[in-house]
Amino acid sequence: MPKPASLRLLVNDRPVNVASGTTVASAILLAGIPTRRSVTGQPRGPLCGMGICFECQATINGTMHQRTCQVFCTEGMEVRTP
Amino acid sequence: MSESWDVVIVGAGIVGAACALECAKRGMRTAVVEANFIGGGATAAGMGHIVVMDDSPAQLALTHYSQTLWQELSKALPEDVEYEACGTLWVAADEEEMQEVQRKRDVYASAGVATEILDGPGLADAEPQLRTPLAGALLVRSDAVLYPPCAAGFLMREAQRLGVQLYRRKVHSAHSGQIRLDDATQLNSKQIIIASGADACELVPGLPIKKRKGHLVITDRYPQFIRHQLVELGYLKSAHSSTTDSVAFNVQPRKTGQLLIGSSRQYGAEDAEVNPQILSAMTERAQWYLPKIGELSAIRVWTGFRAATPDKLPLIGPWPEDDSLFLATGHEGLGITTSLGTAQLLVDYFEGAATAISCEPYLPGRFARSVIRA
Amino acid sequence: MTERFDILVVGAGPAGIAAAVTAVASRKKVGLVDDNPVAGGQIWRAGAAQPVAALAWFERLAASSVARLQGWRVFDSPSQGVLRAEGNDGCRDLVYNQLVMATGARERFLPFPGWTLPNVMGAGGLDAMVRGGLPIAGKRVVVAGTGPLLLAVAAHLAKKGAKIVAICEQAPLHRFVPFCASLLGEPAKTKQGIEYALSTFGSKIHTGCWPVAANGDEMLQSVTLRRREKQWEVPCDYLACGFHLVPNLELPALMKCRIDNGFVAVDDLRQTSIAGIFCAGEPTGIGGVEMALLEGEIAGLAAAGKVVEAKRMARRRKRGLGFVRALSTVTELDPRLKQLATDKTLVCRCEDVSYGRLREHACWREAKLHTRCGMGPCQGRVCGPATEFLFGWKMDSTWSTIRPPLYPVLVSSLGDPDKLEFKSDSLALAGAQDQKEIQ
């Protein structure tokens, strides 16, 4: 079985290496940070893993409110969290 | 079972709640009957824009009066009412509309409402997300926004603290000083205020009220995308027309950072379904004025029904057909704004007190003859 | 942009795949639309070794002429026979003669102190994250909640090297075994599965047990568990906690299909109350992969007009499986779970609304208007089932008043797809100059 290709993306300007087929939500968790802050400022991470809870929302390549659990990482992607 | 009151109010929307509080403040034994829950009708559906509007001198007087009352009340409002004095910008797209801005400024000035005229660059500075070039705008700083269901909730709680009773029941009939509820309870009252919005016709047949459907969109949070409520000058044309379906650019920044996108008006549409053509026209118009708004995330769309009268003025005062019946309805798109003024006028009328503004233009009697004819 | 199909299938989990593959065999033009980047739904999510049955279906799908619309989110039905979907490069209108809805289910989450901490996820939620590349080897995981999903998740995570420190099933022991029976896969393998689970996890399995708190500052550090009078704290890296499944009814409700007791009403051929609209899988009753596949096939046949074959398969469904679809999973939850939340515990995570504020209200709609609970991006998908359990608030008003968009979409997607032209980084509005004359 061939080793999964690795790719590099930036999470808040810090490089993160992941296997191809990794979701952006998983990459953010790998970086050890919350995906978002709630309306009262609490740290949050993914809950449902399937695109219905919206806790995994982050900014991808400048577009806000992306459901990162449903987006695969691509080479050079820029992810921002609050 | 039978109970006696000085005033019974049908409907705990923002108008009913405002009336309840005012009646209680003046020592009247007051009860409110609400079939669903506080602030659940048009109050929940609307934008919560507290705005001075000049479709007619009477509308200008009532909205200005009410807006001042809201300003005075604002310090007492709890956080969940989300009162924000962000002001309104009436946006002029071209020179023709700029002349309208000048005219409007003069009309407002004559009523004592302070405004400022912004030119194109001034407008772009105040609202960077607006398309350029635009001709300019009229800034009305004293206008505000709030979250209506919680505003109604606040007014009702204050009323209840002063002893107002709330019945959570549907009214079966209300006339001749008697209100019959759906559980056969009978309330007797010297005065009955019908404040049930577009449903008022159910209790008072022949009321000249028609439902005027609207659509709204709310977005996710984008703080500072816009800073003022932005309304196109064509809004008045849209609100004024009695027969055509129309949309007009009207976007509000909520305190939460969410944007409310409106507005639409339809006559004769009785269903609450979202109309894709109207929604499409409304959002396309918003994108014309705010090109980047299309990229924002829209969370929810809903519809609501304004209670509209033939002359665009509400019905505030006695109903000639019945000595015990009073109306506080027909506010079309200005229910939130004019709720406080409505309450003052009505309760002043009960007491035979001098009113701050003339109540003549809003008296329901102006339609009585046409009702009798029908 | 408009695409036309004889049969459109919404949802590419087992039921949808089965429906699409079956329908296309009848030479119908079939479209399969799904909002995830790859097909499989939840239980056949990529990123793990798939069961043999799944691989066989994926192969059939790949070899078929089913038009694949992967990564498209259905959010509206702007007119009869049309669904509108949003994707990365705009919207499409999908026109169909027959519609098969296979929208699956999601986990039910119940609030308890600390449940909003990062690294507290659903059971399926953590599993999905691991399949999505989250490393779990060497991490300590507590699996909790209820339902057969817990064992399946624990087994998968253990295979990936996770240290399963506890599996807490809220149901008492005597209900535990039949519970396991329904979602673990083929019936013949169920006994094997349970035996495997018990031998693998043994003393780590606790029944009649649930989390009372998740502890930590910025992220999860430990979980407090309770069983009867005993309470103890378990240090861990992840809490995978879900309380069974609730059906995704948003699309069926939008299409005005009749919903009975919280599930889409269907006849033996999976036809809903609306002619030409079928429903297969979890939205018709929580029942797992086996049922979903069979129902998908029945719906695919029925939608393709193969009524005789569909009826035959429907009889097989009645006879063969012996499992009855659970019609309500709420009643299986211990009422003591209602007392986990304190007044400060958040129930609505989108708008940060606490239990204390919610319990002042009499019904879902009133609570929604006055506290904003359910008004956030999830539109009640997380807090709705929770409040239904906690307060007994009926969700009927939600189904009867559902409006588009079913999910948050771009404001531009609320426009007419045929009028708007998309350029790479901006929107050009057709006839923008004319817009101002609308009256």
Side-chain angles (χ1 to χ4, degrees):
Chain A
M1 169 130 27
K3 265 205 177 123
S6 172
L7 54 94
R8 203 176 95 141
L9 66 153
L10 292 171
V11 177
N12 296 340
D13 298 319
R14 279 169 39 215
V16 178
N17 291 310
V18 300
S20 130
T22 299
T23 60
V24 176
S26 296
I28 296 172
L29 285 188
L30 252 175
I33 56 173
T35 43
R36 76 174 193 107
R37 294 263 155 194
S38 77
V39 301
T40 59
Q42 297 177 352
R44 296 283 173 84
L47 175 72
C48 77
M50 59 180 280
I52 60 103
C53 74
F54 291 81
E55 294 284 28
C56 71
Q57 283 188 105
T59 303
I60 300 179
N61 291 339
T63 308
M64 290 174 71
H65 300 125
Q66 300 291 286
R67 263 150 282 182
T68 57
C69 72
Q70 291 182 310
V71 181
F72 286 133
C73 296
T74 57
E75 182 67 38
M77 186 183 255
E78 287 182 32
V79 177
R80 290 213 174 271
T81 68
Chain B
M1 204 211 322
S2 177
E3 296 156 30
S4 271
W5 301 90
D6 293 328
V7 181
V8 172
I9 302 167
V10 179
I14 197 146
V15 173
C19 290
L21 179 54
E22 198 53 37
C23 289
K25 274 185 181 165
R26 306 220 203 161
M28 303 169 89
R29 271 199 78 227
T30 310
V32 178
V33 187
E34 169 53 58
N36 293 307
F37 43 85
I38 299 164
T43 301
M47 269 181 136
H49 187 194
I50 297 172
V51 58
V52 174
M53 293 251 285
D54 66 330
D55 182 62
S56 63
Q59 187 185 78
L60 182 58
L62 184 59
T63 53
H64 182 214
Y65 176 40
S66 300
Q67 180 267 321
T68 321
L69 294 172
W70 275 113
Q71 224 169 351
E72 285 162 15
L73 185 62
S74 63
K75 292 170 220 71
L77 295 172
E79 232 183 277
D80 66 353
V81 178
E82 294 176 2
Y83 180 93
E84 185 86 66
C86 60
T88 304
L89 275 170
W90 291 90
V91 178
D94 54 32
E95 279 316 309
E96 189 187 329
E97 291 192 349
M98 236 5 225
Q99 283 170 23
E100 175 63 20
V101 163
Q102 304 276 0
R103 186 206 66 81
K104 212 170 161 75
R105 192 258 305 264
D106 296 337
V107 171
Y108 279 40
S110 71
V113 181
T115 60
E116 251 175 77
I117 293 188
L118 303 184
D119 60 11
L123 178 60
D125 217 46
E127 292 289 356
Q129 289 295 337
L130 280 172
R131 77 182 291 116
T132 49
L134 288 170
L138 185 72
L139 171 60
V140 187
R141 281 196 197 278
S142 47
D143 282 350
V145 303
L146 51 66
Y147 181 57
C150 288
F154 167 74
L155 296 172
M156 257 325 285
R157 275 193 315 273
E158 292 294 291
Q160 286 172 299
R161 278 196 316 114
L162 296 178
V164 172
Q165 271 260 68
L166 175 63
Y167 292 85
R168 300 234 192 206
R169 301 235 67 107
K170 193 161 162 62
V171 173
H172 181 68
S173 64
H175 59 84
S176 319
Q178 286 182 357
I179 302 100
R180 196 161 262 119
L181 307 185
D182 59 359
D183 65 353
T185 304
Q186 188 172 294
L187 309 177
N188 299 314
S189 182
K190 280 200 284 222
Q191 284 128 170
I192 303 171
I193 301 176
I194 306 293
S196 44
D199 293 335
C201 302
E202 283 174 21
L203 291 176
V204 188
L207 272 192
I209 289 181
K210 288 215 161 34
K211 289 185 176 176
R212 208 141 187 229
K213 185 176 175 185
H215 288 68
L216 280 177
V217 178
I218 193 163
T219 68
D220 208 321
R221 288 163 157 85
Y222 300 92
Q224 297 303 305
F225 187 85
I226 60 175
R227 295 84 186 261
H228 310 79
Q229 178 131 3
L230 304 177
V231 190
E232 64 161 298
L233 279 161
Y235 179 84
L236 271 175
K237 245 190 281 178
S238 168
H240 186 88
S241 165
S242 300
T243 49
T244 356
D245 289 356
S246 62
V247 300
F249 171 68
N250 188 345
V251 179
Q252 177 186 107
R254 310 224 56 254
K255 206 168 188 176
T256 58
Q258 294 170 283
L259 294 170
L260 270 181
I261 305 174
S263 63
S264 79
R265 281 176 161 77
Q266 290 169 270
Y267 263 132
E270 299 277 319
D271 65 286
E273 304 273 309
V274 172
N275 179 312
Q277 286 77 34
I278 298 276
L279 178 64
S280 177
M282 196 174 84
T283 52
E284 283 166 26
R285 201 163 185 83
Q287 286 172 89
W288 192 87
Y289 281 89
L290 294 164
K292 291 232 174 89
I293 205 170
E295 295 161 26
L296 306 190
S297 176
I299 293 179
R300 208 164 65 94
V301 177
W302 66 95
T303 62
F305 294 94
R306 310 171 181 86
T309 60
D311 61 0
K312 329 284 180 300
L313 294 173
L315 301 166
I316 307 172
W319 181 240
E321 306 283 297
D322 184 325
D323 281 345
S324 66
L325 272 192
F326 295 79
L327 302 178
T329 181
H331 293 83
E332 222 268 353
L334 291 169
I336 310 303
T337 303
T338 61
S339 54
L340 298 186
T342 298
Q344 292 290 328
L345 288 180
L346 200 47
V347 187
D348 282 341
Y349 188 94
F350 289 160
E351 295 187 332
T355 51
I357 60 170
S358 167
C359 57
E360 276 291 318
Y362 324 108
L363 290 176
R366 70 191 191 271
F367 290 114
R369 219 178 291 153
S370 49
V371 169
I372 291 165
R373 237 187 276 135
Chain C
M1 193 179 170
T2 303
E3 298 198 32
R4 295 173 188 278
F5 302 100
D6 293 320
I7 298 162
L8 179 64
V9 181
V10 179
I17 291 174
V21 167
T22 307
V24 86
S26 305
R27 312 253 176 118
K28 299 288 183 185
K29 185 164 180 224
V30 178
L32 178 61
V33 59
D34 183 89
D35 64 336
N36 279 303
V38 295
Q42 308 318 314
I43 202 150
W44 283 352
R45 183 177 284 274
Q50 297 282 29
V52 170
L55 291 174
W57 280 104
F58 282 125
E59 262 167 54
R60 284 178 68 185
L61 180 64
S64 76
S65 60
V66 170
R68 305 289 307 283
L69 292 151
Q70 212 61 49
W72 289 83
R73 193 172 285 112
V74 172
F75 69 93
D76 191 9
S77 177
S79 54
Q80 179 104 309
V82 183
L83 289 185
R84 189 163 286 171
E86 183 191 65
N88 284 330
D89 57 352
C91 291
R92 281 184 211 178
D93 276 356
L94 310 173
V95 181
Y96 59 86
N97 292 322
Q98 313 282 321
L99 176 66
V100 178
M101 302 179 298
T103 50
R106 60 187 187 276
E107 287 185 277
R108 177 188 287 108
F109 300 104
L110 297 182
F112 50 87
W115 76 296
T116 54
L117 281 170
N119 295 345
V120 175
M121 304 186 203
L126 179 59
D127 192 60
M129 295 297 295
V130 169
R131 291 177 190 238
L134 180 71
I136 201 79
K139 304 285 186 188
R140 301 157 299 171
V141 181
V142 171
V143 181
T146 203
L149 194 54
L150 303 191
L151 276 183
V153 167
H156 174 231
L157 296 180
K159 259 197 211 140
K160 291 252 172 157
K163 288 196 194 131
I164 307 294
V165 292
I167 301 174
C168 310
E169 163 60 63
Q170 60 87 36
L173 183 60
H174 65 268
R175 296 239 299 274
F176 179 59
V177 170
F179 239 24
C180 296
S182 42
L183 239 200
L184 277 178
E186 297 147 46
K189 296 214 169 111
T190 298
K191 187 160 175 279
Q192 249 182 5
I194 296 172
E195 283 167 352
Y196 167 79
L198 288 174
S199 66
T200 311
F201 300 115
S203 61
K204 299 204 184 99
I205 300 177
H206 309 277
T207 57
C209 174
W210 50 77
V212 294
N215 313 299
D217 291 316
E218 290 279 296
M219 62 171 66
L220 179 71
Q221 274 156 355
S222 70
V223 177
T224 307
L225 300 171
R226 179 183 291 147
R227 182 173 191 274
R228 300 209 184 132
E229 295 75 39
K230 190 177 159 218
Q231 205 163 288
W232 68 106
E233 198 172 325
V234 178
C236 58
D237 301 301
Y238 296 98
L239 170 59
C241 181
F243 292 87
H244 219 301
L245 302 174
V246 290
N248 292 326
L249 299 177
E250 290 77 16
L251 181 61
L254 185 73
M255 304 310 290
K256 304 219 186 338
C257 298
R258 201 179 83 231
I259 290 170
D260 287 338
N261 297 315
F263 291 95
V264 182
V266 288
D267 64 14
D268 279 349
L269 299 191
R270 317 317 298 170
Q271 167 119 302
T272 67
S273 58
I274 310 276
I277 301 183
F278 300 82
C279 190
E282 311 294 70
T284 64
I286 305 299
V289 180
E290 285 294 311
M291 290 271 225
L293 287 169
L294 202 47
E295 290 174 3
E297 286 186 89
I298 296 168
L301 288 167
K306 304 276 192 198
V307 177
V308 171
E309 288 96 322
K311 281 188 173 162
R312 191 181 306 140
M313 197 144 256
R315 283 193 294 273
R316 198 183 121 190
R317 177 191 177 277
K318 270 195 167 134
R319 265 200 319 266
L321 288 180
F323 300 139
V324 177
R325 278 200 176 278
L327 287 180
S328 169
T329 58
V330 161
T331 52
E332 290 152 356
L333 296 174
D334 193 302
R336 284 170 287 180
L337 294 168
K338 296 185 195 183
Q339 288 144 26
L340 298 181
T342 69
D343 277 353
K344 286 217 185 86
T345 309
L346 296 186
V347 178
C348 169
R349 299 169 65 120
C350 295
E351 297 289 325
D352 282 11
V353 185
S354 67
Y355 179 84
R357 286 185 64 203
L358 286 177
R359 64 182 175 79
E360 290 169 5
H361 296 283
C363 67
W364 169 250
R365 197 164 171 253
E366 182 186 290
K368 201 169 145 176
L369 281 176
H370 284 269
T371 67
R372 313 288 292 274
C373 173
M375 283 203 182
C378 96
Q379 288 293 285
R381 284 177 171 90
V382 174
C383 56
T387 56
E388 191 178 23
F389 175 65
L390 292 172
F391 305 116
W393 292 342
K394 290 282 160 256
M395 300 303 282
D396 297 340
S397 65
T398 302
W399 306 129
S400 60
T401 59
I402 198 157
R403 296 200 221 298
L406 296 184
Y407 289 96
V409 291
L410 297 180
V411 169
S412 59
S413 295
L414 298 176
D416 186 338
D418 289 331
K419 271 167 106 182
L420 298 174
E421 282 156 8
F422 288 85
K423 300 212 167 123
S424 57
D425 58 350
S426 69
L427 296 172
L429 294 171
Q433 292 315 303
D434 303 331
Q435 298 301 307
K436 284 162 50 42
E437 301 317 308
I438 295 169
Q439 245 318 335

